[in-house]
Amino acid sequence: MSDVNGPTGQTPASNGPQDAAVGTAGAGAGAEAATGSAAESVAGAGAPTGAAAVGPHTTAAADGRRVRVVLVDDHRMFRTGVQAEIGETERTGVEVVGEAADVDQAVTVITATRPEVVLLDVHLPGGGGVEVLRRCAPLMADARQPVRFLALSVSDAAEDVIGVIRGGARGYVTKTITGTDLVDSIFRVQDGDAVFSPRLAGFVLDAFASTDAPPVDEDLDRLTQREREVLRLIARGYAYKEIAKQLFISVKTVESHVSAVLRKLQLSNRHELTRWATARRLV
């Protein structure tokens, strides 16, 4: 059963990467010293990898603006690093009001806290970022207090970008973004702007501007984001143990995902699966 804090901000004992928290950003200061590599994945990159935008946004600390944010990512160390990098509210204007590690936790935390912006990982246990967007559609459509989503992912695959944008996300940036640019992107999304890492903007333009864009693949849409990840790695010839190590899951979980993919696609073995993925240029 998922651990989700109440609005009081109390933090339960951690059970590893699959825990969530609803509350204020008070834990950020204590976490900062323990999160070197995780924080560096957000802050360590140079400016060229930042989000595409027109001119710098006024710093929130200077103009007194605030934005309430929920972090959704299944890697706890990464959430802690982001919290340490952007969650110092007096400096950044960002108040991290909740965290979640899977789809169910995310929907619960987002519904309870009603943040202005959600930083959403694309690949999550329970159906991926697209499933979070689907279940939070009423919150996005709320004219008075809309919840807006900014995808923050290690993936730069075109299908991942297009999937979450079609689901309603206002932008997509990769985890090489600097902390300063991430804060700027959050405020732009709060304002209703669309924000993308420079290279990814082309995917969106190609997908939505082209009159001959390929139709949605209904077979592929049956798969969750995690199942798609396993599918690609299987098609590339990875062994189950290698997939488990790369995705930080158990071999048994990999086997379960492969069985689900074969069942949903009505395929018999990994060789048929490889041919299926190759034919759709997923490898």
Side-chain angles (χ1 to χ4, degrees):
M1 180 175 179
S2 300
D3 291 331
V4 181
N5 292 351
T8 58
Q10 297 176 342
T11 305
S14 169
N15 290 321
Q18 301 299 321
D19 64 10
V22 181
T24 66
E32 188 167 358
T35 60
S37 61
E40 287 166 7
S41 66
V42 176
T49 60
V54 181
H57 197 288
T58 304
T59 58
D63 64 17
R65 290 187 59 191
R66 295 290 183 268
V67 58
R68 299 168 67 254
V69 171
V70 164
L71 306 178
V72 180
D73 193 289
D74 60 344
H75 292 97
R76 187 182 180 192
M77 282 294 292
F78 182 76
R79 297 198 313 270
T80 305
V82 173
Q83 164 83 20
E85 180 66 25
I86 72 172
E88 189 179 329
T89 307
E90 291 305 312
R91 176 177 62 86
T92 65
V94 175
E95 180 186 2
V96 178
V97 297
E99 299 180 20
D102 60 34
V103 170
D104 288 340
Q105 289 176 0
V107 174
T108 298
V109 172
I110 294 165
T111 302
T113 59
R114 297 295 293 266
E116 282 87 30
V117 177
V118 177
L119 289 180
L120 179 68
D121 193 11
V122 174
H123 301 142
L124 295 168
V130 171
E131 179 64 12
V132 175
L133 292 164
R134 185 187 69 80
R135 291 168 60 178
C136 290
L139 300 180
M140 289 190 282
D142 187 333
R144 292 179 300 175
Q145 189 182 354
V147 176
R148 295 189 168 102
F149 288 79
L150 173 62
L152 174 63
S153 177
V154 69
S155 171
D156 61 359
E159 61 267 27
D160 288 338
V161 178
I162 301 307
V164 295
I165 298 305
R166 280 181 172 151
R170 296 294 304 173
Y172 193 117
V173 294
T174 60
K175 290 180 178 179
T176 56
I177 192 170
T178 65
T180 300
D181 283 340
L182 181 56
V183 170
D184 182 77
S185 297
I186 290 169
F187 275 96
R188 290 184 178 278
V189 167
Q190 181 192 27
D191 290 340
D193 293 343
V195 181
F196 299 91
S197 291
R199 196 174 80 84
L200 307 184
F203 295 155
V204 179
L205 291 174
D206 290 344
F208 291 97
S210 176
T211 56
D212 58 351
V216 175
D217 189 323
E218 293 183 1
D219 290 332
L220 190 60
D221 277 356
R222 293 192 185 102
L223 306 182
T224 67
Q225 289 292 335
R226 183 64 86 185
E227 288 168 353
R228 295 185 194 190
E229 286 181 302
V230 172
L231 164 66
R232 290 192 195 94
L233 293 175
I234 285 288
R236 290 171 183 169
Y238 283 70
Y240 285 5
K241 287 184 179 179
E242 294 172 320
I243 296 173
K245 183 177 180 181
Q246 181 141 341
L247 299 181
F248 302 98
I249 57 179
S250 69
V251 173
K252 188 170 183 179
T253 301
V254 174
E255 293 172 350
S256 297
H257 285 315
V258 172
S259 296
V261 170
L262 292 174
R263 185 183 69 255
K264 290 180 180 181
L265 300 180
Q266 298 182 346
L267 301 174
S268 300
N269 53 56
R270 66 180 295 163
H271 300 294
E272 291 184 4
L273 187 152
T274 299
R275 288 196 296 270
W276 188 94
T278 301
R280 285 162 173 78
R281 300 181 181 179
L282 299 177
V283 181

